Amino acid sequence: MTALSALIRRDIRIALRVGGGALIGVLFFLTVVVLMPFAVGPDLALLSRLGPAILWLGALLASLLTLDRLFMSDHEDGSLDLIAMSRTPLELACAAKALAHWLAAGLPLIVATPVLGLLLNLDMVATGAVALTLLAGTPALTFTGMIGAALAVTLHRGGLLMAVLVLPLSIPVLIFGVAASQAAITGPSSFGAPFSILCALSLVSLVIGPFAAAASLKHGLD
Amino acid sequence: MTLIDLANPTRFLALSARVLPWLAAATIILLTIGLYQSALAPDDYQQGATVKIMFIHVPNAWLSMFVWGVMSVASLGTLVWRHPLADVAAKAAAPIGASFTFLALLTGSLWGRPMWGTYWEWDARLTSVLILFLMYLGLMALWRAVEDPSRAARAAAVLTLVGALNLPIIKFSVDWWNTLHQPASVMRMGGSTLDKAFLIPLLVMAVAFTLLFVTLHLAAMRNEILRRRVRSLQMMQASRVAFSSEMGTGSRQENASTGAA
């Protein structure tokens, strides 16, 4: 337990300090959202209708951008081999690393959402709904993305390939995340059903992600 | 003859060489019967003659999921039992499965144009099959990204097993989301709703397509085994060249080591 919490603390500290790059994700998120009015035109009514989808896409791309840091730097300096050799099961270590990554890179995205919602002319309820669905959905993005990150480490030059492999897996999360936030804003349909599926997706990825990532790491490191 | 006897590639090559002509012949016969029967099948009272696209479309769609299932079993073979031919089977199946998926999407959109008035709709079943197609392509890219086949095999096996989660989503998408695509009518609780005049040709075509897959898969596996033999022969030759020039003058040593790498 202390080994895992030490690992989490270490990863968060590395991510937040100089060169860690976790907060670059927020900057990227802001840039994507700012680009949207240039693409669809500065029509505030249209933007508020597209708002949840834009925020979700931005968060998805931002979390994809930071994913390759999850294992890559540890692989380069050799600490990944030490983690793999330690007595802690690699699956738990992967889960701890993903949790730390979500705390350092995913949570700031959710904190930034209300500010970005203002730019997109979303009202309070809509912003709250989007932030809530992001809170429920981004763990799924991190834990499924971890599988791609683990594969990419073993590939050496797999950065772009990782994006291609991970994005199809993240489509269900995107569908239900946007569906739940749209339901809260406009729809006659209920918020509960898509939101519970979103939570279920996160829980499933919480179980599958560490095992798949640890398996591909074990086979890749040799 | 058990599965483990086939672990010897030479024995597998010998056996598959004997089986392949029979399989190919059976495929051709069944495909002929199936196509003949589907041509004779009556027109649908609603859809007219276009219903005959079904006899091509539905087997392709079934096979697109069946092939991923075969690849998942093969991936278990790679990761759990370390069966030497399992990764050959998984690698050889991916392009075939991608082709079936592509044909299912293509025939589906050709069928959708007269029936639904659109080539493409972002409907649950269509979208999830498109995702399956993307995952086939990603998997094939992953196979090519790693040089050492056995290393690539284990990475691809993990991804195949994760991707298998998509299969139940595709299967039940028409029941969970009530959208454009019609609900399941052949394999469902309480028996098929299809008339016998359509059901029998459809099932014959399904068996014929499965045989087609088995034939193509065996042939592709043979190719893959031979390709790996060629690769290891080339590696051996390269290292022999490097070794013999290392024995020669010292000035050629640098050339030789780059040639071996």
Side-chain angles (χ1 to χ4, degrees):
Chain A
M1 207 60 219
T2 49
L4 288 182
S5 59
L7 187 61
I8 293 175
R9 271 204 306 275
R10 163 187 174 273
D11 268 24
I12 292 179
R13 223 174 277 157
I14 291 177
L16 293 184
R17 286 185 183 171
V18 177
L23 296 177
I24 303 271
V26 179
L27 193 61
F28 181 77
F29 190 18
L30 173 71
T31 317
V32 169
V33 169
V34 169
L35 278 179
M36 280 300 158
F38 291 105
V40 302
D43 176 5
L44 279 182
L46 181 65
L47 280 179
S48 71
R49 204 149 49 91
L50 293 179
I54 295 174
L55 287 175
W56 257 95
L57 260 184
L60 176 67
L61 294 176
S63 69
L64 188 73
L65 185 77
T66 48
L67 265 181
D68 63 335
R69 299 199 166 258
L70 192 52
F71 294 113
M72 196 60 90
S73 56
D74 279 358
H75 180 57
E76 276 162 6
D77 65 14
S79 43
L80 192 59
D81 294 303
L82 289 179
I83 294 172
M85 279 191 295
S86 71
R87 271 180 302 165
T88 340
L90 190 54
E91 287 82 7
L92 279 180
C94 283
K97 281 186 75 67
L99 178 65
H101 183 265
W102 181 75
L103 286 174
L107 208 51
L109 296 180
I110 299 161
V111 175
T113 306
V115 184
L116 300 182
L118 281 180
L119 290 177
L120 294 172
N121 195 29
L122 289 183
D123 58 23
M124 290 296 285
V125 180
T127 311
V130 174
L132 192 62
T133 52
L134 278 177
L135 186 66
T138 42
L141 295 182
T142 307
F143 275 83
T144 48
M146 174 168 65
I147 304 170
L151 285 173
V153 160
T154 63
L155 294 186
H156 302 294
R157 42 178 200 281
L160 193 60
L161 186 60
M162 183 192 78
V164 174
L165 296 179
V166 166
L167 281 178
L169 296 177
S170 63
I171 290 174
V173 182
L174 185 68
I175 290 176
F176 289 106
V178 176
S181 24
Q182 294 284 16
I185 300 164
T186 56
S189 53
S190 73
F191 174 73
F195 188 71
S196 5
I197 296 181
L198 193 63
C199 296
L201 284 172
S202 276
L203 291 176
V204 168
S205 65
L206 224 63
V207 176
I208 293 172
F211 283 97
S216 51
L217 279 182
K218 264 180 209 154
H219 295 307
L221 292 176
D222 276 343
Chain B
M1 177 65 76
T2 56
L3 203 58
I4 205 72
D5 285 333
L6 286 175
N8 183 341
T10 310
R11 201 172 292 170
F12 173 81
L13 282 180
L15 184 77
S16 59
R18 252 186 299 154
V19 172
L20 257 180
W22 295 99
L23 269 176
T27 310
I28 292 172
I29 292 172
L30 260 184
L31 261 182
T32 320
I33 297 175
L35 284 174
Y36 183 68
Q37 278 186 332
S38 0
L40 284 189
D43 289 355
D44 188 70
Y45 76 100
Q46 261 185 333
Q47 308 193 353
T50 48
V51 75
K52 283 172 187 167
I53 301 177
M54 174 179 80
F55 300 118
I56 307 285
H57 170 69
V58 173
N60 269 317
W62 280 343
L63 262 292
S64 70
M65 296 200 286
F66 178 75
V67 175
W68 196 282
V70 168
M71 280 161 47
S72 307
V73 175
S75 304
L76 277 183
T78 304
L79 290 178
V80 180
W81 302 298
R82 313 243 158 184
H83 194 283
L85 281 179
D87 61 317
V88 175
K91 185 179 183 185
I96 306 175
S99 318
F100 280 128
T101 316
F102 177 72
L103 286 177
L105 287 169
L106 186 75
T107 52
S109 79
L110 289 180
W111 194 9
R113 179 65 195 167
M115 287 302 106
W116 298 337
T118 170
Y119 284 113
W120 182 260
E121 177 76 26
W122 289 98
D123 144 88
R125 170 66 63 92
L126 273 61
T127 311
S128 51
V129 174
L130 182 65
I131 295 171
L132 183 69
F133 183 58
L134 288 181
M135 287 190 339
Y136 270 118
L137 295 186
L139 198 64
M140 283 157 66
L142 183 62
W143 272 108
R144 278 155 185 262
V146 189
E147 212 161 310
D148 179 19
S150 68
R151 226 179 149 87
R154 284 169 293 182
V158 173
L159 189 71
T160 311
L161 287 177
V162 173
L165 288 176
N166 196 18
L167 291 185
I169 296 182
I170 296 177
K171 173 74 184 81
F172 295 110
S173 58
V174 282
D175 304 328
W176 290 343
W177 294 283
N178 202 356
T179 42
L180 197 56
H181 202 283
Q182 62 192 14
S185 50
V186 179
M187 282 189 282
R188 68 183 206 95
M189 307 285 280
S192 169
T193 55
L194 220 59
D195 189 76
K196 271 212 170 62
F198 295 114
L199 187 62
I200 291 170
L202 183 61
L203 289 181
V204 172
M205 286 299 273
V207 176
F209 266 74
T210 314
L211 275 180
L212 177 67
F213 164 67
V214 175
T215 311
L216 291 176
H217 191 208
L218 272 187
M221 279 176 74
R222 289 170 58 82
N223 282 346
E224 178 62 24
I225 292 172
L226 295 176
R227 201 177 296 135
R228 287 188 187 186
R229 285 202 176 161
V230 170
R231 179 174 180 271
S232 58
L233 284 179
Q234 281 173 336
M235 302 269 268
M236 271 163 62
Q237 196 183 19
S239 65
R240 201 158 44 228
V241 169
F243 183 71
S244 61
S245 49
E246 244 171 68
M247 293 291 100
T249 53
S251 64
R252 284 172 59 196
Q253 204 161 358
E254 204 171 335
N255 278 333
S257 61
T258 49

